[in-house]
DNA sequence: GTCTATATTACGATAGAC
DNA sequence: GTCTATCGTAATATAGAC
């Protein structure tokens, strides 16, 4: 109990620890509905102190969204997303995307809610469309392989699948130790995959 | 071609015609990201003129959200939602909710995005929870009737079902006359019902 | 019903002391 | 690294002329 990393509560902020606070407030009030004054109160330091750690409000948004995008795109590089039949790769990506949504919940929530009012937000939307496109290609391939029900419209199915997955940010809350208010993370991923693929697979 | 209602373009605003413009901008920029200046530019009149028609920005939000809630709750009063087995009533409500989302798209979109920063927004969230609760009861009853797959968690299924339906506001755009960029409204409703109930029904 | 002008407050960001 | 004080701008809303 001597060194600097030993203290239980942080006595000064780093850009990252400040980000944790900011992202929570952004999600509670919406990005545009959050002022620097709101952030300073939540962090327990003055407005001007925040500017010592980050260049401004938009940098906090950019950092948060980057983290979300990194998590999502990295799943596409995993073996399960790159090897095997398209339908199986799609199921793998569906499961992993669901898991990333839950593990990086506040960051992905922010990503899914941007409206495109600033350059940062428009960049986020473009990157997100890229990701959606990659998954849509898997669905298209699975359809060509004959592994999707013939009455399924691929374009529509892609959107309903993402709709179901992305809706997690509206209700999923991580389980706290001891008290389990919510389904466990792997149960949720199972349910999403099962529900979605019941309507898709041949 | 003489009377006042004959003109193709409105030369003055009513609260309702102003609402149409405001709701479009709210959805493009987000409610908090929209200023009265933005609204005045979109409407082609000055800021102060807007105050002649409505008390302020929040009244526009309240009017829009009321319209969305009226549409949603009215489906629960229709015969198909009140008679028959719970699973069939659930399917009916799912279809009709999907249809209302599409026919009242900009209004429902706004409803689904409020964050609770003002009294109006908190009222909207409470009413929306009421609606969700009513549908959740149908799912619960269908489960008790033995009409749901035994491995389906009712709480989770409710959320995934709403997630799929509500995600429509993120991508559905009404078809324009002549050029059909999107699936027709009844095709979408069919797909939603089919995809969702494939994972639910026994 | 719409306008210009303006009151008042809130916001993002900076300066400079400690 | 954090603070108080403040700048310049943009926000909601009102007053009063036409």
């Amino acid at each position: 109990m001597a060194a600097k990393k030993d203290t239980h509560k942080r006595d000064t902020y780093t850009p990252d620890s400040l980000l944790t606070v900011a992202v929570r407030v952004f999600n509670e009030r919406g990005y545009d509905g959050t002022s620097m004054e709101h952030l300073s109160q939540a962090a327990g330091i003055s407005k001007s102190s925040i500017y010592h750690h980050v260049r401004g409000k938009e940098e906090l948004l950019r950092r948060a969204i980057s983290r979300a995008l990194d998590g999502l795109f990295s799943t596409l590089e995993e073996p399960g997303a790159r090897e095997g039949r398209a339908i199986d790769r799609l199921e793998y990506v569906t499961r992993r995307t669901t898991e990333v949504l839950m593990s990086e919940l506040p960051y992905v929530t922010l990503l899914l809610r941007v409206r495109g009012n600033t350059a940062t937000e428009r960049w986020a939307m473009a990157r997100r469309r890229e990701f959606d496109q990659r998954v849509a290609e898997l669905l298209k391939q699975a359809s060509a392989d004959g592994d999707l029900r013939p009455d399924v419209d691929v374009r529509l199915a892609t959107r309903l699948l993402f709709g179901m997955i992305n809706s997690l940010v509206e209700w999923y809350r991580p389980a706290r130790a001891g008290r389990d208010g919510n389904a466990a993370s792997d149960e949720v991923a199972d349910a999403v995959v099962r529900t979605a693929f019941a309507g898709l697979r041949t």
Side-chain angles (χ1 to χ4, degrees), chain A:
Chain A
M1 30 181 125
K4 35 193 161 179
K5 277 208 164 183
D6 224 9
T7 44
H8 179 252
K9 260 215 161 179
R10 197 171 285 280
D11 52 358
T12 187
Y13 279 106
T14 64
D16 260 18
S17 65
L18 187 58
L19 184 62
T20 307
V21 176
V23 166
R24 195 192 69 231
V25 184
F26 285 160
N27 282 326
E28 283 168 7
R29 308 188 51 91
Y31 176 72
D32 284 324
T34 303
S35 69
M36 293 303 275
E37 178 67 29
H38 290 134
L39 292 183
S40 86
Q41 279 168 14
I45 58 176
S46 70
K47 271 196 295 179
S48 58
S49 293
I50 295 177
Y51 288 94
H52 178 79
H53 301 287
V54 293
R55 294 185 66 87
K57 195 176 143 181
E58 201 168 353
E59 180 177 327
L60 288 165
L61 181 65
R62 185 181 52 72
R63 281 172 182 268
I65 285 171
S66 288
R67 179 159 164 174
L69 287 167
D70 286 351
L72 290 175
F73 274 99
S74 72
T75 67
L76 296 179
E77 307 305 318
E78 295 167 4
R82 302 170 61 89
E83 296 157 16
R85 288 182 81 82
I87 183 77
D88 295 325
R89 283 152 59 203
L90 177 67
E91 182 171 324
Y92 179 84
V93 170
T94 300
R95 174 180 301 276
R96 290 289 294 127
T97 299
T98 306
E99 288 168 357
V100 169
L101 246 73
M102 291 185 285
S103 65
E104 302 289 305
L105 190 70
Y107 306 94
V108 180
T109 304
L110 216 46
L111 169 65
L112 295 180
R113 286 186 182 156
V114 296
R115 302 297 313 149
N117 291 339
T118 65
T120 301
E121 295 182 57
R122 287 186 287 276
W123 161 78
M125 290 168 76
R127 289 281 288 158
R128 187 186 152 197
R129 272 195 296 274
E130 258 181 71
F131 179 80
D132 289 5
Q133 195 55 42
R134 295 277 295 274
V135 180
E137 278 160 22
L138 285 180
L139 247 165
K140 201 174 160 192
Q141 184 60 48
S143 178
D145 292 346
D147 290 333
L148 289 193
R149 293 157 69 126
D151 59 346
V152 167
D153 175 310
V154 173
R155 208 170 136 79
L156 192 50
T158 305
R159 286 165 156 170
L160 292 177
L161 177 62
F162 273 117
M164 184 181 286
I165 296 174
N166 292 345
S167 75
L168 258 73
V169 305
E170 301 297 332
W171 56 264
Y172 179 77
R173 296 296 172 267
R176 283 162 299 176
R179 182 77 165 73
D180 219 5
N182 233 305
S185 141
D186 54 345
E187 282 177 46
V188 174
D190 277 347
V192 168
V193 170
R194 208 176 333 109
T195 308
F197 281 77
L200 290 178
R201 273 189 190 272
T202 318

